[in-house]
Amino acid sequence: MYKYEIEEKTLHFKQPAGTSRGVYTTRKIWLVRLSDGEKDGVGECAPLPDLSCDALSDHAYRERLEKACEELCLAGGIDCEILRDYPSMLFGLETALLSLQSNLSPLTSHYSPLLFDTAFSRGEVGIPINGLVWMGSYEEMLKRMEEKLEKGFRCVKLKIGAIDFDQELDLIKRIRERFSFHEVELRLDANGVFPYEEALYKLELLSQYAIHSIEQPIRQGQWAYMAELCRESPLPIALDEELIGVNDPEMKRHMLNIIKPRYIILKPSLHGGMMGCREWIETARDMGIGSWITSALESNIGLNAIAQFASDVYGDHITMPQGLGTGQLFTDNIDMGLEIRGDMLWRQKNFFRQKNIRT
């Protein structure tokens, strides 16, 4: 029999994080602690307002999360089918249960547990990650880009759509004048900002700068238009927001078969928890579609789980950069033994033996 506790926590960004949906200065999360009387585990539930399919009011979210925790405690496990439409809750409970079962989390403290027995989880190898340049003014984005390159990132993702497109095009041109595609891989994230009527023209302009891929050029839910863009675009297209709310396994296959993107990008908090992301990845592999895993503004508790999950899904020798660097965004984050060395995310060896952590 398990017992649970839920703690609401507000994280504060070091700098405002600009997205196509506005600017974040704080981030609300729910921490779920499970206990079996001898050990305990912690997981993070972190829906994104106006984006997650389970983004409810605070009261409604906690009420549904309490029900999910009660069901888990009574059953002794997670009924993933019941939680298909609540991906952030499912991910948090999956993490808490794996943490509890790791045998590395005594009841008195919270550690950075070995959720999966992989070389990354043991601190033996790092995972390559992309640097992330948030939306901002031309000068802000250029400065952030230069900082990422100085730190040694060989893959950088730019969020576009906040300033004039011509300015963004000029920014990308300046980057390419300094760094060839052999030196720096550029990824773009449009967050659905392009009008469909302008999208192909803009993709053609961007394609002259050796862009690796562009995420979600038009807003989600326009399958026929997105399929046409995937056929005609000179740039590889990756789906992100398009996957949100598509939780049925057959519907996942149906959508990918219609749109036929080059890549899909998985965020466990948004795309079905670990279970749902495994379904997406396996379905995509069957269809010759690539994928990578990204965090979604979680604290280090969530980031730790996502990174270990990526190492379990893709193996010990990941070569494609993942989107796992957001743990440095908050002033009041939770230390989980994660560190970025150059363009690699590492777990500190034996962190759970070196340092007790209370959340």
Side-chain angles (χ1 to χ4, degrees):
M1 179 70 71
Y2 297 129
K3 294 183 179 180
Y4 75 90
E5 293 180 6
I6 298 173
E7 176 191 354
E8 296 181 26
K9 189 175 181 67
T10 299
L11 302 174
H12 298 82
F13 284 88
K14 293 178 181 177
Q15 296 178 343
T19 74
S20 61
R21 291 172 177 80
V23 178
Y24 290 110
T25 57
T26 60
R27 176 78 163 102
K28 184 75 170 284
I29 64 173
W30 284 258
L31 299 179
V32 175
R33 295 186 179 86
L34 293 179
S35 170
D36 64 3
E38 296 180 359
K39 304 183 302 296
D40 66 352
V42 62
E44 176 179 355
C45 303
L48 281 167
D50 302 320
L51 186 60
S52 299
C53 63
D54 57 354
L56 311 173
S57 68
D58 287 356
H59 174 75
Y61 189 89
R62 183 181 182 107
E63 192 174 67
R64 184 62 186 87
L65 181 57
E66 287 178 344
K67 181 180 179 182
C69 290
E70 290 167 2
E71 291 168 345
L72 184 156
C73 291
L74 286 173
I78 304 170
D79 188 334
C80 294
E81 292 301 320
I82 290 178
L83 290 177
R84 272 194 182 273
D85 294 330
Y86 301 92
S88 65
M89 297 183 197
L90 177 55
F91 174 60
L93 294 183
E94 287 173 319
T95 302
L97 198 56
L98 284 169
S99 174
L100 172 65
Q101 295 168 346
S102 71
N103 295 320
L104 300 176
S105 301
L107 186 62
T108 55
S109 302
H110 296 292
Y111 293 92
S112 182
L114 211 71
L115 304 179
F116 298 96
D117 189 14
T118 66
F120 169 78
S121 298
R122 295 190 298 270
E124 298 167 1
V125 300
I127 295 177
I129 62 174
N130 61 248
L132 179 61
V133 175
W134 288 93
M135 291 179 177
S137 69
Y138 180 93
E139 291 75 18
E140 287 171 339
M141 293 181 71
L142 182 60
K143 180 182 177 182
R144 292 167 188 166
M145 184 74 191
E146 289 172 341
E147 289 172 351
K148 296 298 180 185
L149 297 176
E150 287 172 2
K151 289 180 179 179
F153 283 95
R154 291 168 291 176
C155 175
V156 179
K157 170 179 164 180
L158 282 77
K159 284 185 171 288
I160 61 175
I163 60 177
D164 178 74
F165 178 74
D166 288 338
Q167 284 188 297
E168 291 173 332
L169 203 61
D170 184 61
L171 174 64
I172 293 166
K173 178 182 178 182
R174 289 183 62 172
I175 293 165
R176 272 290 171 250
E177 287 173 347
R178 290 178 54 190
F179 301 94
S180 73
F181 69 93
H182 296 294
E183 297 170 291
V184 176
E185 179 180 284
L186 285 179
R187 296 175 177 175
L188 303 180
D189 185 359
N191 288 122
V193 75
F194 295 162
Y196 166 71
E197 297 77 12
E198 302 173 7
L200 188 57
Y201 172 68
K202 290 183 175 180
L203 294 176
E204 288 171 349
L205 291 177
L206 290 166
S207 68
Q208 62 188 310
Y209 300 113
I211 306 299
H212 171 271
S213 58
I214 183 166
E215 297 177 35
Q216 205 69 43
I218 61 174
R219 62 178 173 80
Q220 67 267 38
Q222 305 178 91
W223 290 10
Y225 286 160
M226 188 66 84
E228 182 179 344
L229 281 181
C230 288
R231 287 195 305 269
E232 303 296 332
S233 172
L235 282 183
I237 290 176
L239 301 186
D240 180 356
E241 288 93 340
E242 199 73 63
L243 312 180
I244 297 172
V246 183
N247 300 318
D248 177 76
E250 289 305 312
M251 188 59 70
K252 293 176 182 180
R253 182 173 294 276
H254 180 59
M255 189 194 76
L256 293 181
N257 189 50
I258 289 174
I259 297 179
K260 295 182 173 61
R262 183 76 65 87
Y263 302 104
I264 59 172
I265 301 170
L266 285 312
K267 299 178 173 74
S269 291
L270 294 175
H271 300 135
M274 298 183 198
M275 176 205 71
C277 285
R278 287 187 193 276
E279 289 179 349
W280 276 116
I281 292 167
E282 290 168 5
T283 301
R285 278 176 178 164
D286 290 345
M287 303 173 73
I289 297 169
S291 66
W292 66 86
I293 290 173
T294 301
S295 52
L297 303 180
E298 293 89 356
S299 78
N300 279 329
I301 291 177
L303 178 60
N304 173 60
I306 294 167
Q308 291 196 54
F309 172 64
S311 72
D312 185 62
V313 169
Y314 296 126
D316 288 339
H317 304 288
I318 298 174
T319 56
M320 177 174 282
Q322 309 292 298
L324 303 174
T326 58
Q328 296 180 319
L329 291 176
F330 305 110
T331 61
D332 43 6
N333 212 329
I334 300 155
D335 193 358
M336 294 294 285
L338 298 170
E339 60 181 359
I340 295 175
R341 306 175 199 164
D343 65 347
M344 306 278 280
L345 180 70
W346 288 78
R347 270 172 52 89
Q348 297 172 19
K349 283 187 178 181
N350 302 322
F351 179 80
F352 57 90
R353 296 193 186 103
Q354 296 169 0
K355 184 174 182 178
N356 292 358
I357 337 178
R358 289 192 178 275
T359 57

